[in-house]
Amino acid sequence: MSFMKLVGPACLTLTLAIAGPVSAEIKIALDSAKDLENSGSYVWANVFSEYLNANGMEAVEYERGALGGEAEKMDQVQQGLLEVSLSDTKGVGALDGHIIPTTLPYFFPDWESLDRGLANGMMDKINAGTVPQGVRVIGMAALGSAAGIFNTKHPVEKAADLADLRMRALDENQIGVYKLWGTNGTIVAWDEVPNALQTGIADGYLNPPMVPIMFGHTGFIKYFTNAKVGLGSRTIIVSEDWYQGLSAEQQAIVMDAAKAATEANRAWLATRSAEMDKLREAGIEVTELTPEAWAEFKALSAPLHNMVPLPEGALAAWQAAIGE
């Protein structure tokens, strides 16, 4: 007599239930093209997914936009419908403001200092605010060298050269930066940036060097100023509901995967010395600031650090964590 006939359909269902659920696919929502050469966030995501798959956890990468925009991805993570997302750092900051200083201009000198701060307690502070809202932060991916100023009109050698440019802004905080520099900003969703630049709604944006190459903007972006404004990042979040449903062994695999992915991302970052040459090859004129002009941008930006709404003591906590 066959096994099916012996136990019957109902008993088989019970047997499978006792055995535990079939391993579910772990969805990873990407934020960029699958470009291991130019996309630091994809370097992170790819190493993370390969590590999970190599250790018995089925991970699948989903193209940028396939699972919705930033707000939709955040909702899905909070509801346990999306396991992993490479998300906008400022969007995560809406859940807990301790992460917002990582987006401030001229606050961190380099990624080593940011990583030191995360390891010295700031990751725990961030998660203390996000985890109760269904979101766990497991890493931050570098997008490339420090952000600079791109525009469609002319070279920018000093802050005054920005006066006739209207810059694309991610949010009100970035508009605040532009005002301190003596120019104006307009909030434009990232997917609308190409149209904004081509129609004159915006004349430029602030981003790491490789962004126009990654997103195909080199047809209309013509100038880059290596202002070294801040560290471009994506924040990797996971669903807390999903994470708590894992065994202790699986949780350890996820965190080990995150560690390996972060190490790979930082190793990739160390290879970015040729970014300026790649911009020039793409037809973008590169301007290097004089030390005096760079110091001017830094000084003009400093007031923003105390203007952005943050949890009490957040700036001081970061400064202590990075050893300043």
Side-chain angles (χ1 to χ4, degrees):
M1 184 178 295
S2 71
F3 177 73
M4 282 293 292
K5 289 182 179 179
L6 179 64
V7 301
C11 291
L12 180 59
T13 300
L14 178 61
T15 301
L16 291 176
I18 293 172
V22 176
S23 178
E25 171 186 290
I26 300 167
K27 299 181 291 297
I28 301 174
L30 303 178
D31 70 303
S32 74
K34 296 181 177 182
D35 185 347
L36 288 172
E37 180 180 359
N38 296 313
S39 175
S41 58
Y42 184 62
V43 170
W44 199 104
N46 184 249
V47 170
F48 181 76
S49 63
E50 287 191 350
Y51 192 103
L52 293 186
N53 281 308
N55 285 275
M57 299 179 72
E58 182 188 358
V60 179
E61 300 169 358
Y62 281 79
E63 300 280 356
R64 171 184 169 87
L67 300 177
E70 292 294 334
E72 290 84 3
K73 290 192 299 180
M74 181 64 75
D75 286 343
Q76 292 173 55
V77 169
Q78 290 180 293
Q79 296 174 42
L81 302 175
L82 171 60
E83 290 78 21
V84 184
S85 175
L86 281 81
S87 286
D88 170 32
T89 297
K90 291 188 178 182
V92 178
L95 301 182
D96 185 82
H98 283 96
I99 202 171
I100 291 297
T102 68
T103 70
L104 294 178
Y106 301 104
F107 187 77
F108 292 94
D110 48 42
W111 270 94
E112 287 81 1
S113 61
L114 192 153
D115 286 337
R116 186 164 61 252
L118 290 173
N120 288 340
M122 294 312 297
M123 181 72 87
D124 292 338
K125 283 186 178 293
I126 293 164
N127 275 319
T130 63
V131 165
Q133 300 179 72
V135 173
R136 177 178 292 268
V137 176
I138 63 169
M140 296 187 71
L143 298 183
S145 302
I149 303 163
F150 288 98
N151 83 90
T152 62
K153 288 188 172 182
H154 57 70
V156 172
E157 297 180 346
K158 55 187 181 301
D161 294 336
L162 287 163
D164 66 333
L165 300 178
R166 181 164 56 177
M167 301 294 290
R168 176 264 175 175
L170 171 66
D171 57 17
E172 292 293 340
N173 291 342
Q174 208 164 70
I175 285 180
V177 174
Y178 296 141
K179 287 181 178 178
L180 291 170
W181 291 352
T183 191
N184 297 305
T186 181
I187 295 175
V188 179
W190 183 246
D191 290 341
E192 299 299 322
V193 164
N195 181 64
L197 293 173
Q198 292 176 88
T199 59
I201 294 172
D203 301 312
Y205 54 63
L206 190 64
N207 259 310
M210 295 309 293
V211 165
I213 293 176
M214 288 166 52
F215 289 93
H217 297 171
T218 55
F220 31 91
I221 287 286
K222 295 302 179 185
Y223 303 94
F224 175 69
T225 300
N226 192 19
K228 301 177 182 177
V229 177
L231 308 180
S233 67
R234 299 294 286 184
T235 296
I236 299 86
I237 59 175
V238 302
S239 165
E240 183 65 8
D241 283 349
W242 167 74
Y243 185 78
Q244 292 302 330
L246 300 176
S247 67
E249 179 183 4
Q250 290 172 322
Q251 288 181 354
I253 291 171
V254 168
M255 299 312 294
D256 286 345
K259 180 180 179 182
T262 298
E263 290 173 352
N265 174 259
R266 303 303 189 264
W268 169 88
L269 183 64
T271 70
R272 308 314 293 164
S273 59
E275 286 182 337
M276 299 306 121
D277 290 337
K278 289 189 176 183
L279 288 179
R280 294 185 181 99
E281 290 169 5
I284 296 174
E285 182 178 329
V286 175
T287 297
E288 295 287 352
L289 293 179
T290 65
E292 294 77 16
W294 184 86
E296 179 192 22
F297 272 105
K298 182 178 180 180
L300 289 172
S301 305
L304 187 77
H305 298 176
N306 294 313
M307 293 164 58
V308 175
L310 295 171
E312 185 176 355
L315 281 181
W318 270 108
Q319 288 165 339
I322 66 178
E324 289 192 353

